Amino acid sequence: MAAELSTSINIKEPRWDQGTFVGRAKHFFTVTDPRNILLSNEQLEKARQIILDYKKGVVTPGLTEDELWRAKYVFDSAFHPDTGEKMLLIGRMSAQVPMNMTITGCMMTFYRTTPAVLFWQWINQSFNAIVNYTNRSGDAPITVNQLGTAYVSATTGAVATALGLNALAKHVSPLIGRFVPFAAVAAANCINIPLMRQRELKHGIPVTDENDNRLGESSKAAQQAITQVVVSRILMASPGMAIPPFLMNSLEKKAFLKRFPWMSAPIQVEFIFSMAVSRLEPELQEKIRACRPGVETVYFNKGL
């Protein structure tokens, strides 16, 4: 009979060593695995139960370590880390690769006319709004009014940026015009994310000690988290939206894409951070020092 699986495996951390490139690559390939969006509700609930039981020290009979880690990544892919609720399908990390490839490819292909800009920027910002809401940090609910304000503001900002730059690009090299979608996406991220997560800025996000004990809510942690998300979103978009313009500008001059112009679109085509207690709000610092005098650093989920 096989020995029962140990309850000492730390499933709060990634399975692979994050101090190495290979470890980080394996972790993020697993987190963003598109196959997870094909899992049934029954499979998701099974993984959820395995993880919730394991955290309580209860091991599912016959469970292996590989099955535990698989359940952990399935659980993380579908359930919000703070609220525990099942996340919207297209807002999950496992949907990012297919969704972003499709939308980015179309934005960078159909950018020359006003109707195309309006349509694809609207599609992109609708998708971004869902992702930002799905991956918000903390367990505070967001109102319909806040959601609508963020969505309309980001879409307006993206469209205005794209149309304005398109008008300017008519007087410069066509290559410059290809960067318009990237500029619009960057501008929209600067608007969409802070507005979508404005409740966090006002009321703060949960901060914990190293043992995941909740210590309070911090607006300063929320400010840092949201700034990091905005910057990372722009940087993540850079390779896919800043390099293809050079390639496509060259390829479209070749016979292949002149013969098959419809091929343009296909061709183009972890979350925990820390903060020193001394940087938190004075009242929260006092609360932490009173109840946890030895804590010098707190941790928070920055969202995505």
Side-chain angles (χ1 to χ4, degrees):
M1 180 180 291
E4 187 177 82
L5 187 65
S6 169
T7 57
S8 62
I9 299 173
N10 185 6
I11 59 173
K12 292 180 180 179
E13 298 295 331
R15 182 176 189 177
W16 299 279
D17 180 8
Q18 298 301 283
T20 67
F21 172 78
V22 172
R24 292 191 296 272
K26 286 182 177 179
H27 170 67
F28 283 104
F29 280 140
T30 305
V31 167
T32 59
D33 187 347
R35 293 175 299 177
N36 286 338
I37 62 177
L38 302 176
L39 296 175
S40 66
N41 286 331
E42 182 181 353
Q43 290 172 303
L44 295 178
E45 286 302 325
K46 181 180 178 181
R48 176 176 176 272
Q49 197 58 53
I50 288 174
I51 295 305
L52 293 181
D53 286 345
Y54 190 82
K55 287 180 177 179
K56 298 175 184 176
V58 178
V59 178
T60 303
L63 186 70
T64 66
E65 184 173 348
D66 284 341
E67 290 171 340
L68 173 65
W69 282 110
R70 172 59 181 159
K72 175 256 193 313
Y73 278 105
V74 168
F75 174 79
D76 288 350
S77 77
F79 296 92
H80 194 280
D82 292 326
T83 66
E85 67 184 15
K86 188 180 294 182
M87 296 186 287
L88 297 171
L89 183 65
I90 65 172
R92 300 174 191 171
M93 284 303 293
S94 48
Q96 297 306 294
V97 172
M99 292 297 297
N100 275 313
M101 283 179 62
T102 303
I103 295 173
T104 299
C106 290
M107 280 197 301
M108 299 189 70
T109 301
F110 310 111
Y111 66 91
R112 291 185 174 92
T113 67
T114 297
V117 169
L118 289 171
F119 179 74
W120 286 108
Q121 289 298 333
W122 168 68
I123 289 291
N124 186 49
Q125 290 314 312
S126 298
F127 174 64
N128 284 343
I130 292 172
V131 172
N132 292 337
Y133 174 76
T134 302
N135 295 283
R136 65 199 183 281
S137 178
D139 49 15
I142 184 170
T143 66
V144 174
N145 184 54
Q146 291 170 328
L147 192 63
T149 300
Y151 173 61
V152 172
S153 300
T155 303
T156 302
V159 170
T161 301
L163 292 179
L165 291 178
N166 260 354
L168 293 174
K170 291 178 181 178
H171 307 290
V172 295
S173 165
L175 176 62
I176 302 300
R178 290 186 177 276
F179 287 94
V180 169
F182 178 50
V185 167
N189 276 326
C190 293
I191 299 169
N192 195 337
I193 296 170
L195 283 174
M196 189 66 69
R197 298 173 61 173
Q198 58 187 288
R199 183 178 177 83
E200 297 171 33
L201 292 170
K202 183 177 181 180
H203 300 288
I205 59 176
V207 294
T208 65
D209 61 17
E210 66 276 11
N211 296 315
D212 207 29
N213 296 311
R214 188 161 174 166
L215 303 174
E217 291 74 36
S218 171
S219 294
K220 290 190 175 181
Q223 292 170 14
Q224 179 176 316
I226 291 171
T227 299
Q228 290 169 336
V229 171
V230 170
V231 173
S232 66
R233 288 284 187 88
I234 294 173
L235 291 178
M236 283 191 294
S238 300
M241 301 192 78
I243 296 175
F246 294 104
L247 298 177
M248 295 306 299
N249 200 55
S250 174
L251 286 173
E252 286 192 347
K253 296 176 183 178
K254 307 296 183 183
F256 177 73
L257 282 184
K258 287 183 177 180
R259 186 177 178 186
F260 304 106
W262 56 270
M263 283 294 292
S264 291
I267 290 176
Q268 301 209 61
V269 163
E270 187 75 340
F271 316 131
I272 303 299
F273 277 68
S274 62
M275 173 183 277
V277 171
S278 59
R279 295 182 57 195
L280 299 173
E281 294 85 341
E283 61 273 17
L284 184 54
Q285 290 184 42
E286 292 180 12
K287 177 182 176 181
I288 292 174
R289 285 173 182 145
C291 65
R292 298 280 199 285
V295 174
E296 297 295 333
T297 304
V298 295
Y299 303 86
F300 56 91
N301 167 31
K302 74 175 179 65
L304 294 175

